[in-house]
Amino acid sequence: TISLPRCISAELKSLIKGLLHLDPLQRIGSRFDSQEVRSHPFFRSVDWKAVLNKQCSIPSPSKCHQMMCSDPAPNALTKQ
């Protein structure tokens, strides 16, 4: 069993567990190649045509944190 942080979204947990499944034949992507990975709910909002055509920008680290976690991203520039 994989132990993941609680802040990670259910979609990301599902993706990670699917990619790391012990049985290689049960891993996400083992049956239908990359299409199976791209169609996972975690990537629901990704415009794959834009990615392939290099027409999208890379999200900031705080945006990535927001996409993965429900907890607010720590900001190193904020006084505590």
Side-chain angles (χ1 to χ4, degrees), residues 14-65:
S14 170
L15 177 64
I16 291 169
K17 288 181 179 183
L19 290 169
L20 298 176
H21 199 285
L22 288 176
D23 181 355
L25 299 176
Q26 297 297 316
R27 289 182 192 143
I28 293 175
S30 68
R31 293 176 295 259
F32 303 109
D33 206 16
S34 65
Q35 180 57 37
E36 190 175 6
V37 176
R38 290 184 305 213
S39 64
H40 189 277
F42 179 75
F43 297 114
R44 173 179 38 246
S45 64
V46 174
D47 179 352
W48 289 106
K49 286 184 183 179
V51 171
L52 292 172
N53 292 321
K54 300 179 182 179
Q55 298 172 332
C56 55
S57 59
I58 299 171
S60 69
S62 63
K63 178 67 174 173
C64 290
H65 185 87

